[in-house]
Amino acid sequence: MVQPISITETKEAVEKVVKISRVSKVTKGGKKLSFSALVVVGNTRGRVGVSLGKANEVADAIRKGISQAKKKMRLVPLEGTTIPHDVMGMFGSARVLLKPAVEGTGIIASGPVRAVCEAAGIKDILTKCLTSTNAMNVIKATLAGLDQMSRDLEIFHLRREPVAAVAMTEGQEDAHN
């Protein structure tokens, strides 16, 4: 499990460094070291961004990652302290299952998924990483699932159907099959 290395809170954003990697490039003159930092930024009110900052120093990589993540922030649909419905996010070989939970459950998630959920302001959620443990792919799969959920909600709104009614009819269809 990847533990967040540092957490910084400011007025407008929560910044979490999920992973720092040392990259070594072998050249004719020797080895050249550089660092990459996987950073999650969110405002804890439904906006989250992720970026990979790269530089020759760790501090510069984190700073670059934070500034890029703030530019790439996206909306996450929230329903109280949880998400509206369950969804499967996929990216590459990574599969992440996100399920809403009752209030008081907390965030049941691995390190990268936990960082995204905390930064987005989700307080009650059940998650499971099904295939990959690569932090970058798991985070991208989580964001893909959250994006898919917002598209689903737009479709429900266009149909003028409540989310609960659609979820209930899907459950009834599964029972009949």
Side-chain angles (χ1 to χ4, degrees), residues 87-102:
V87 68
M88 175 79 74
M90 295 180 244
F91 180 83
S93 67
R95 307 277 185 272
V96 177
L97 177 65
L98 304 168
K99 295 178 98 174
V102 289

Side-chain angles (χ1 to χ4, degrees), residues 16-177:
K16 297 186 182 209
V17 179
V18 177
K19 183 179 178 182
I20 295 178
S21 299
R22 187 181 72 175
V23 180
S24 171
K25 179 180 179 183
V26 179
T27 61
K28 186 171 135 181
K31 292 182 182 177
K32 179 163 173 59
L33 291 177
S34 64
F35 297 90
S36 65
L38 182 58
V39 180
V40 177
V41 176
N43 68 352
T44 66
R45 292 185 303 274
R47 287 180 53 107
V48 67
V50 176
S51 182
L52 185 68
K54 299 177 181 181
N56 290 333
E57 298 292 329
V58 174
D60 291 337
I62 293 171
R63 183 182 46 76
K64 283 182 180 180
I66 289 170
S67 66
Q68 290 172 4
K70 284 182 180 178
K71 293 176 189 173
K72 296 179 183 178
M73 289 183 81
R74 57 180 81 171
L75 289 174
V76 173
L78 295 175
E79 192 171 282
T81 60
T82 189
I83 56 176
H85 60 88
D86 57 336
V87 68
M88 175 79 74
M90 295 180 244
F91 180 83
S93 67
R95 307 277 185 272
V96 177
L97 177 65
L98 304 168
K99 295 178 98 174
V102 289
E103 193 170 338
T105 303
I107 300 174
I108 312 292
S110 66
V113 179
R114 176 181 295 273
V116 172
C117 292
E118 287 175 353
I122 301 170
K123 293 182 176 58
D124 301 304
I125 190 168
L126 303 170
T127 68
K128 181 68 179 171
C129 298
L130 297 173
T131 55
S132 177
T133 58
N134 181 331
M136 187 65 174
N137 287 346
V138 168
I139 285 178
K140 286 188 176 184
T142 304
L143 291 176
L146 294 173
D147 286 343
Q148 177 184 347
M149 187 169 37
S150 62
R151 285 192 302 272
D152 290 347
L153 292 176
E154 290 170 6
I155 292 170
F156 294 150
H157 179 70
L158 290 173
R159 291 179 183 170
R160 292 183 173 86
E161 295 179 9
V163 176
V166 174
M168 189 171 67
T169 57
E170 288 176 358
Q172 292 172 352
E173 289 173 5
D174 292 340
H176 293 295
N177 291 336

